[in-house]
Amino acid sequence: LPAPAEESPGLPGGGGGGRGGQQQQPPQGPAGPELGCLGAQNGEASAGTAAGDQLAHANGLLPSANSGGGSPGGLSVNNGVPAAGGPGPAAAELGGGGGSALKKKKRLSQSDEDVIRLIGQHLHGLGLNQTVDLLMQESGCRLEHPSATKFRNHVMEGEWDKAENDLNELKALVHSPHAIVVRGTLELFQSCIVGLIVRMKFLLLQQKYLEYLEDGKVLEALQVLRCELTPLKYNTERIHVLSGYLMCSHAEDLRAKAEWEGKGTASRSKLLDKLQTYLPPSVMLPPRRLQNLLRQAVELQRDRCLYHNTKLDSNLDSVSLLIDHVCSRKQFPCYTQQILTEHCNEVWFCKFSNDGTKLATGSKDTTVIIWQVDPDSHQLKLLKTLEGHAYGVSYIAWSPDDNYLVACGPDDCSELWLWNVQTGELRTKMSQSHEDSLTSVAWNPDGKRFVTGGQRGQFYQCDLDGNLLDSWEGVRVQCLWCLSDGKTVLASDTHQRIRGYNFEDLTDRNIVQEDHPIMSFTISKNGRLALLNVATQGVHLWDLQDRVLVRKYQGVTQGFYTIHSCFGGHNEDFIASGSEDHKVYIWHKRSELPIAELTGHTRTVNCVSWNPQIPSMMASASDDGTVRIWGPAPFVDNQDIEGKNQCVCVCVL
């Protein structure tokens, strides 16, 4: 780091220190240049201070005495900043007794030293170099090893030959991530160290080569490539790429092809960040370490916040570091925004489109209603009514592009309807046999096929015209889902399990086994988690990759009715489910206890759907014939909010 300036404007001091003039830097002893601080190590007062020398400090802390110089004058400090002072008695007496000996400064703990170094690094990044020097002097710490400081300066100044020589000094300080593992074998350990030095040298020479090319020094660049980079025998593939840059006609072309910032501070700082990863933190701190720690702390608080339902912003400027992160439940979708009453009988199913702009609801009244979501007000209005489902509509699936919608009926329904959402026209009405029961459907990710089945043993794969492509005999299907690989179909059956079926090679395998009937299930966007509604048990979360039960969520009343739950919220951090006790329950994915219980429906809540694009919007369908749209609390008086009694939030310890 740059040495402190010899003179700086005076700062107000306490006691014997002056209030104006120029601040004189304390002379350093022999240890000063090496440590970049006072001779005090780890915060201990240095020896060699004159007996009469005393220090005054405005906040009661005693800094280390000036080392090596033995100056007769006292040093007055105000809030850790040395001020000008002259010879004479101390400004304040310690321990209540005049002329008492200077109390030895308490030794800094390792964590205190780490914090001081982190603060110093951050201040250095802000350009407050004199402040860093004063901090290191008073604390007796050093920001980084002197060899690392020299190496840093040579890299930033582009003195590549000197930087290479610095690597020899750093060789003893370089560590391998596998050093602990291989330390028992000296030769292997030493080979790891040599390998890391080679990588660091390769990065240096690569920067040197690119800067020569940008300056138009092609011969010098070629010399680096042939005589310095190639003999390292490291990353030959990269060397071939670098050699291709010789053909670049101008600097802009080089920067574009190499994806490089060009000669200067930006590219050299980026290079230094890479080089620092090979040095232990005791020698050189990882880049922007304090910012990274603060960012991790903010993200951890957000992860632990039960009601956090917005996009995570990694920029620290968007949050306050002075207070803990807390989200209010009033920002959470647990207040009724709208009640849709256009259905005239029980509403069995609801599902938002993939783009979040529409909601489809299916009812016992034989209709499917398509609702349009207003992007600004988040209010819904009736867009289309699709009629003619003689048995009612108990299940709906949107195509991946939201252009089509498939509707299924209850157990005794042998028909399936494929609607064009844009035109409202029925494209296909499919029925293979009057004895079929087609109660569930799932779209293939390509949007050109879908699978359907029911509890009477039918399991079909069809195209958009209803033509039968494949079938699987004897599978009594309760619920279906197509995985993103385009090959595997998950199906829950009457044997209380979920199995995976591959229609290409006609193989199947067991994935989930429950002890009670699986009434319905849904899969997370990443295909890793499955959310099951299990008869008499409630809502269960399974990990499909590890094939283990992760969590059983409490509170919901689940008998033998088919209730559909869902993942939702930002990053699918939440889970919602209807219930036979007329409520909607919401859990944080990591917590078994509900964080909210939504009241308002008067009969069983059959289905819940969370808007995939608007994390603050959710819909629920009930046997009471209504669909409720849930959102954050309206901008009304708090007493009015509590008076509505729509949301009971539970604190989870």
Side-chain angles (χ1 to χ4, degrees), residues 12 54 75 128 131 151 189 244 257 293 307 355 362 364-365 370 383 385 432 486 569 605 636:
Q54 292 184 340
L75 179 64
L128 305 177
T131 305
F151 179 64
F189 176 66
K257 288 184 178 179
L293 288 174
Y307 296 104
D355 62 8
K364 187 179 180 180
D365 66 6
I370 308 295
L383 184 63
T385 300
Q432 295 295 324
V605 180
V636 295

Side-chain angles (χ1 to χ4, degrees), residues 467-480:
N467 299 316
L468 186 63
L469 301 177
D470 297 289
S471 65
W472 211 294
E473 298 296 331
V475 181
R476 299 181 182 274
V477 174
Q478 178 70 28
C479 191
L480 293 167

Side-chain angles (χ1 to χ4, degrees), residues 152-163 207-208 211 263 268:
R152 175 196 299 276
N153 293 336
H154 288 157
V155 169
M156 294 304 297
E157 293 167 6
E159 297 181 1
W160 306 117
D161 293 338
K162 293 181 179 180
Q207 178 79 11
K208 178 181 179 180
E211 290 192 7
K263 179 180 179 179
R268 292 173 182 175

Side-chain angles (χ1 to χ4, degrees), residues 9-26:
L11 297 173
R19 292 186 174 272
Q22 297 296 317
Q23 175 181 303
Q24 183 69 30
Q25 291 292 339

